[in-house]
Amino acid sequence: MLVYNSQTHRKEELVPIEEGKIRMYVCGPTVYDQIHIGNARTFLSFDVIRRYLMHKGYQVTFAQNLTDVDDKIINRANEQGRTAAEVAEEFSAAFIEQMHRFGILDPDIRPRATREIEAMQEMIQLLIEKGFAYPVPSGDVYFSVRSDHNYGILSGRDLDQLRAGERVEVNDEKRDPFDFALWKAAKPGEPSWPSPWGDGRPGWHTECCAMIHRYLGTPIDIHGGGADLIFPHHENETAQAMCAWDKALANTWMHAGMLRVNGDKMSKSLGNFFTLKEVLDKYPADAVRLLMLQTQYRAPLDFSFERLDGTVGTLERMQTCVRNLRWAAGQKPKDGALEEADREFGRVVDAAREDFERQMDDDFNTAGGLAAIFSLVTAANTYLDAAGERYANAVCLRAADTLCELSSVLGIDLAREAADELPHELVDLAREVAGYEGDSASDAAAALLDARQEARAAKDWGRADAIRDGIAALGLVVEDTASGARVHKKA
Ligand code: AMP
Ligand code: ZN
């Protein structure tokens, strides 16, 4: 598998540190507000990267922090007359809720900055002892960029150029304008923790670095975030790790491109944002995923509601195709040998899987992966249209399962049953034709499917069809899947 490494600017073969295992970390949100869909794009990219690595058989350990102490949280709390802890708690819960709605897998480890103060203080102490950091009279502790000869290694920035070109906060206590705070002295009313340098709180760059070291061990295989984090956040993270532990923080640095609206990066400060919550209130999560994944994760992504409206139709087309294939798989089997068209369709199914993996193996090219899925949908529709009355059942089933499986690697669930509330008439039908004696619609459906299966096994097609027709008369359809048949409402 080839993975683009932001540090070397090349696609490299992915070689795990420990065979068969991947340890990855993705910087989490600062929890002071609902996240916007730009943030969501970055989290989605790494969700799919993680899912694909799992699909390839890697045992993935995924950690993501919550930055629950920060100036933005403190400012928001002051505006609203609440404590910083209350604001952080509210938006941590909101973030997790929206991630669930968006179908993002929970991290294996979700450390919160405020609970990791000790690990951060240990790291800061080590950096001071090794001469890479210095406390100042106000109670701050700074990392000394001049003492780190590797500073700039990730972003490729040179300190002299930086000093000439960029405006930084003026602060008399810093030895170099690019020195950054590892520890910030507490101002009155701010959350703070005792430390050898006085009461205070950790700097943002310090958090991730100490948490990675504590929970995953350094170096890790993959460190990710949005491209806007490369400098200074990730540069500063890697500088601390190399100076504290003489080790790189990560072997591969991966960065997601920015989501834009009308050519501008979506951001809170520009005010050009939509929250993930408001978008998911109006659109199915899978349609939003589909829109975002049609662009490879590193490329900028242009968002518009017109495009999103379009992907709703695309998603429905995929769902309908799977439903039709499952329906065809449940029809009378073909008599005699398969025809060339059936065999050709079987080859297309296998080729789609290979093409999907080839695309995804090339730096997680989800756009290419989706193209492979779409071409299978087109081929399936053509096959179903041309097949006449009899379908190659097993091939149709394999096609449906392949579509569901490949989509699920992208976190898109085509197998989801459409909010199924089965009607009670099923109970009467099951009593009549399957000897059912209970009173539950879903048990009745299971009894009917069992009876149909028995009839099919006995080649009693008349009875099998009669059961299916009885179910159909209630506005329901029977779908055959690899894991058995099921009954659901007609879409
Ligand atoms: P923040 O809470 O600002 O640290 O952002 C959380 C994550 O979202 C970080 O990985 C950012 O790089 C990422 N991010 C912020 N804005 C965008 C955007 N417009 N497009 C993609 N990712 C973004
Ligand atoms: Zn981070």
Side-chain angles (χ1 to χ4, degrees):
M1 277 185 76
L2 290 177
V3 179
Y4 185 88
N5 186 348
S6 311
Q7 182 160 343
T8 57
H9 307 283
R10 278 192 281 114
K11 285 185 193 172
E12 297 168 350
E13 190 60 40
L14 180 67
V15 183
I17 295 166
E18 248 184 283
E19 205 185 322
K21 296 186 180 170
I22 295 284
R23 286 174 292 136
M24 63 188 287
Y25 181 93
V26 175
C27 297
T30 304
V31 283
Y32 69 105
D33 207 343
Q34 289 282 350
I35 63 158
H36 60 63
I37 54 171
N39 306 131
R41 195 254 173 140
T42 289
F43 299 135
L44 173 66
S45 301
F46 288 98
D47 182 58
V48 170
I49 288 166
R50 175 191 188 185
R51 284 171 186 266
Y52 189 65
L53 290 169
M54 285 160 54
H55 171 79
K56 295 287 277 188
Y58 289 108
Q59 188 187 321
V60 181
T61 307
F62 186 102
Q64 179 171 64
N65 66 309
L66 291 170
T67 297
D68 60 353
V69 57
D70 180 85
D71 288 337
K72 290 183 198 137
I73 300 173
I74 295 168
N75 293 343
R76 179 60 52 96
N78 290 341
E79 279 161 30
Q80 299 183 341
R82 306 158 76 195
T83 66
E86 281 165 356
V87 171
E89 192 50 47
E90 176 185 346
F91 291 108
S92 296
F95 170 69
I96 293 169
E97 185 189 343
Q98 298 310 319
M99 289 291 96
H100 288 168
R101 285 179 83 192
F102 200 24
I104 307 268
L105 299 175
D106 274 330
D108 300 300
I109 307 161
R110 191 178 339 248
R112 292 167 199 240
T114 53
R115 299 182 196 166
E116 307 294 334
I117 304 294
E118 205 182 313
M120 295 182 222
Q121 290 187 351
E122 274 171 26
M123 188 184 85
I124 296 169
Q125 189 63 47
L126 187 59
L127 287 169
I128 295 173
E129 281 164 18
K130 292 178 88 173
F132 293 109
Y134 57 96
V136 297
S138 66
D140 293 347
V141 180
Y142 290 101
F143 182 90
S144 164
V145 291
R146 244 184 300 175
S147 67
D148 174 14
H149 298 300
N150 287 315
Y151 194 79
I153 190 169
L154 176 65
S155 61
R157 295 185 198 210
D158 174 75
L159 270 177
D160 292 329
Q161 271 174 350
L162 277 171
R163 286 192 195 102
E166 295 206 19
R167 288 177 41 190
V168 281
E169 213 183 306
V170 184
N171 175 337
D172 291 342
E173 289 188 307
K174 287 189 195 177
R175 295 180 189 162
D176 186 288
F178 281 93
D179 287 356
F180 58 91
L182 302 172
W183 187 258
K184 297 180 176 180
K187 299 196 191 81
E190 285 186 357
S192 69
W193 290 262
S195 86
W197 322 287
D199 287 359
R201 60 189 162 94
W204 176 36
H205 315 305
T206 306
E207 271 177 43
C208 293
C209 190
M211 293 194 261
I212 289 172
H213 188 64
R214 170 159 184 208
Y215 287 101
L216 298 175
T218 36
I220 55 173
D221 295 287
I222 294 175
H223 190 319
D228 58 340
L229 298 189
I230 296 175
F231 188 87
H233 184 51
H234 288 166
E235 188 69 63
N236 291 350
E237 279 188 30
T238 198
Q240 293 168 84
M242 284 203 282
C243 293
W245 307 301
D246 302 306
K247 281 196 216 154
L249 188 56
N251 282 0
T252 306
W253 287 86
M254 296 181 72
H255 293 97
M258 293 294 105
L259 182 142
R260 311 188 295 202
V261 259
N262 302 324
D264 292 322
K265 172 190 168 188
M266 178 169 288
S267 73
K268 290 257 161 66
S269 53
L270 288 177
N272 62 347
F273 67 91
F274 307 106
T275 66
L276 179 61
K277 180 177 185 309
E278 68 188 306
V279 173
L280 293 184
D281 283 346
K282 290 195 216 108
Y283 290 88
D286 283 348
V288 183
R289 287 182 91 103
L290 201 53
L291 167 80
M292 291 188 178
L293 297 175
Q294 276 175 277
T295 304
Q296 199 262 5
Y297 76 92
R298 276 194 295 129
L301 183 144
D302 288 304
F303 176 84
S304 74
F305 283 102
E306 290 73 40
R307 281 193 68 196
L308 185 51
D309 288 331
T311 58
V312 172
T314 311
L315 179 65
E316 282 168 2
R317 192 163 163 261
M318 292 161 78
Q319 290 163 334
T320 306
C321 179
V322 168
R323 215 175 295 125
N324 290 342
L325 283 167
R326 293 214 188 287
W327 171 84
Q331 298 305 298
K332 275 184 200 159
K334 243 183 167 145
D335 311 319
L338 295 187
E339 289 158 37
E340 177 50 25
D342 304 322
R343 283 194 297 273
E344 173 57 21
F345 183 39
R347 285 193 290 272
V348 169
V349 175
D350 298 336
R353 174 185 293 277
E354 279 166 31
D355 192 24
F356 177 85
E357 298 214 346
R358 193 168 40 246
Q359 299 291 342
M360 292 292 285
D361 280 348
D362 180 11
D363 196 26
F364 307 96
N365 183 2
T366 53
L370 276 170
I373 293 177
F374 295 153
S375 58
L376 177 53
V377 168
T378 305
N381 289 340
T382 308
Y383 172 80
L384 292 175
D385 282 347
E389 300 266 291
R390 299 288 173 97
Y391 306 90
N393 308 65
V395 183
C396 291
L397 193 56
R398 194 149 53 84
D401 288 343
T402 302
L403 283 173
C404 289
E405 187 197 336
L406 300 183
S407 301
S408 80
V409 175
L410 304 177
I412 294 171
D413 185 1
L414 295 180
R416 203 192 316 270
E417 296 185 38
D420 267 348
E421 264 289 298
L422 296 173
H424 199 259
E425 286 94 325
L426 269 176
V427 172
D428 301 328
L429 180 67
R431 284 182 179 162
E432 197 181 309
V433 304
Y436 176 67
E437 291 178 340
D439 196 38
S440 134
S442 57
D443 289 351
L448 285 163
L449 291 174
D450 284 348
R452 172 172 165 268
Q453 192 47 41
E454 274 168 30
R456 283 161 61 106
K459 298 204 173 0
D460 184 351
W461 307 118
R463 176 166 157 76
D465 285 355
I467 293 174
R468 193 196 60 224
D469 294 346
I471 294 173
L474 299 175
L476 303 168
V477 282
V478 176
E479 258 185 12
D480 288 285
T481 74
S483 53
R486 61 182 179 200
V487 170
H488 65 85
K489 279 189 181 158
K490 220 172 249 165

